[in-house]
Amino acid sequence: MEDRRGAGEAIRCLRDEGIGFRLRENLRPYTTFKIGGEASLFVEPADERETAAAIRVLCKTSPLFDLPEKAIAIVLGKGSNLLVCDGVVSTPVLFTGRLVWIEAMGGCEVGVGGGTPLAQLLSFCVAEGLSGLEPLSGIPATIGGMAVMNAGAFGQSLSELVEEVVLINWEGEREVLKGNEITWGYRGSSLKGRGVVGVVVLRLSKSSSDSVKKAIREHQKKRRTRQPLNLPSAGSAFKNPPGHYAGELIEKAGLKGERRGDAVISEKHANFIVNIGNAACSDVLELIDYAKRVVFEKFGVRLEEEIEYVC
Ligand SMILES: Cc1cc2nc3c(=O)[nH]c(=O)nc-3n(C[C@H](O)[C@H](O)[C@H](O)COP(=O)(O)OP(=O)(O)OC[C@H]3O[C@@H](n4cnc5c(N)ncnc54)[C@H](O)[C@@H]3O)c2cc1C
């Protein structure tokens, strides 16, 4: 009841502000796992102004939602690190899929809208002969999501390239943060949970189109040989514990091929849980719990999820 009153008020305000939204939006297609139920309110701001306005609307109406402390909304990029619950997600979802733009700023700096897919940015880098992002190619993510998660691959983290971030905080205010004012960690940053990353300014280096294209191809080939990219997943299920590789521990525990419903621990890479058909969130959660238990019993190592649970 309270949720419905909150949603009603939010809907009126969003309409007044001219901000796009949908009710009861199926979240499954918005995740790379292809798992999940519906968002009761799905907000799609078209630009930075609308993002700030949407946050202010949700702030005003959020006391009527049943939200965890301080969380005004769940920010959704490409959903490539998310496991969405099977039921209804009552927290409003703020989708960044329209915050897409790329602007050359001179001196090899590039301003990128937070919802811009990495693949689109890489095409720009090839065209302009800009190098730096090649090791990350193949990550099916947005630049905003990659900044928040400090995505990395083959020894390169996004944080090493970040000059500046524009964050629309949970008060709807614009904060400009220099790269060195952000705390960067292994698959995380101090940007997380603070609002919407609206812009990321990257510092790349000058190269040639051909060599950027070649490096992208090589990294994608390495990825294809190691990862089960033909099936839906959310990438690595667990973080690598200090001194270990999560995939190696899971493989040594004999868990490759372990299955719950249509969720399976990949035969190709044991740190990937893949959806081979119509897996439910509960199937994946069961596999996660099982892998954690068995790995702890066999090796005394506690695995921690890299994928995030959204409910
Ligand atoms: C096949 C595959 C391969 C992968 N390989 C890698 C890899 O090599 N290295 C790696 O690090 N990760 C990898 N991942 C995981 C994933 O792509 C990254 O975590 C990525 O950074 C998530 O970006 P996203 O846009 O999909 O964010 P989402 O999954 O939508 O969200 C992730 C988190 O970021 C928040 N968020 C997203 N966008 C914003 C924004 N604009 N502002 C504020 N918060 C935001 C969300 O609320 C959530 O907390 C892989 C995933 C898949 C499916």
Side-chain angles (χ1 to χ4, degrees), residues 32 75-82 96 114 139-142 144-146 148-149 151-153 187 192 195-197 223 227 229 233-235 272 306 308:
T32 54
V75 187
L76 173 67
K78 279 280 181 192
S80 63
N81 201 48
L82 302 180
T96 64
I139 302 182
T142 62
M146 291 177 73
V148 169
M149 296 302 297
R187 301 298 169 266
K192 189 156 200 179
V196 178
V197 170
R223 209 172 258 281
Q227 299 179 352
L229 301 181
S233 78
F272 275 60
E306 181 169 326
E308 261 177 75

Side-chain angles (χ1 to χ4, degrees), residues 276-287:
I276 60 165
N278 202 16
C281 173
S282 54
D283 298 329
V284 179
L285 289 176
E286 267 187 48
L287 268 185

Side-chain angles (χ1 to χ4, degrees), residues 8-303:
E9 176 65 6
I11 288 161
R12 251 191 313 282
C13 297
L14 290 169
R15 273 210 187 104
D16 289 350
E17 295 275 355
I19 299 166
F21 68 89
R22 288 180 232 181
L23 301 176
R24 308 207 56 172
E25 183 74 351
N26 180 7
L27 292 174
R28 188 176 298 208
Y30 295 94
T31 71
T32 54
F33 233 148
K34 305 300 170 215
I35 291 175
E38 291 175 346
S40 54
L41 177 59
F42 183 91
V43 186
E44 274 183 291
D47 54 26
E48 203 179 302
R49 184 203 68 78
E50 285 196 11
T51 305
I55 289 174
R56 282 194 289 270
V57 166
L58 297 175
C59 270
K60 209 164 59 175
T61 53
S62 66
L64 297 173
F65 287 102
D66 179 23
L67 292 177
E69 203 184 357
K70 286 190 184 165
I72 299 302
I74 293 162
V75 187
L76 173 67
K78 279 280 181 192
S80 63
N81 201 48
L82 302 180
L83 174 61
V84 178
C85 68
D86 298 317
V88 174
V89 176
S90 57
T91 306
V93 170
L94 218 157
F95 180 52
T96 64
R98 295 171 73 192
L99 307 178
V100 177
W101 53 267
I102 301 170
E103 188 188 337
M105 299 171 77
C108 294
E109 280 190 13
V110 181
V112 190
T116 307
L118 173 67
Q120 191 170 329
L121 178 58
L122 283 168
S123 301
F124 176 87
C125 290
V126 169
E128 300 294 318
L130 290 170
S131 173
L133 289 163
E134 301 91 312
L136 308 180
S137 66
I139 302 182
T142 62
I143 292 300
M146 291 177 73
V148 169
M149 296 302 297
N150 190 16
F154 302 110
Q156 166 84 67
S157 295
L158 190 78
S159 56
E160 293 161 53
L161 305 169
V162 174
E163 183 65 28
E164 200 170 273
V165 165
V166 175
L167 179 83
I168 319 300
N169 69 23
W170 288 139
E171 271 81 50
E173 291 158 356
R174 188 176 204 265
E175 285 182 42
V176 182
L177 302 162
K178 290 280 169 209
N180 59 13
E181 292 171 326
I182 299 163
T183 307
W184 303 100
Y186 167 51
R187 301 298 169 266
S189 74
S190 55
L191 297 166
K192 189 156 200 179
R194 288 196 49 205
V196 178
V197 170
V199 186
V200 181
V201 178
L202 296 170
R203 194 185 339 97
L204 303 171
S205 47
K206 193 64 197 154
S207 179
S208 71
S209 293
D210 281 350
S211 72
V212 175
K213 200 192 282 179
K214 190 163 167 251
I216 289 174
R217 277 214 200 105
E218 278 164 10
H219 283 104
Q220 290 190 345
K221 194 172 163 202
K222 279 192 216 163
R223 209 172 258 281
R224 270 197 307 275
T225 55
R226 295 176 193 185
Q227 299 179 352
L229 301 181
N230 55 329
L231 288 166
S233 78
S236 296
F238 300 100
K239 295 180 184 176
N240 289 323
H244 298 276
Y245 289 105
E248 212 171 86
L249 293 169
I250 298 166
E251 183 172 350
K252 281 189 182 152
L255 295 179
K256 273 188 167 179
E258 190 71 29
R259 178 173 178 172
R260 298 289 181 278
D262 275 347
V264 180
I265 295 183
S266 167
E267 294 280 0
K268 193 163 184 180
H269 191 314
N271 199 18
F272 275 60
I273 295 176
V274 290
N275 177 1
I276 60 165
N278 202 16
C281 173
S282 54
D283 298 329
V284 179
L285 289 176
E286 267 187 48
L287 268 185
I288 286 176
D289 284 349
Y290 186 65
K292 283 168 95 168
R293 200 172 71 238
V294 175
V295 165
F296 184 68
E297 280 166 9
K298 292 209 176 204
F299 308 112
V301 178
R302 287 194 195 283
L303 292 177

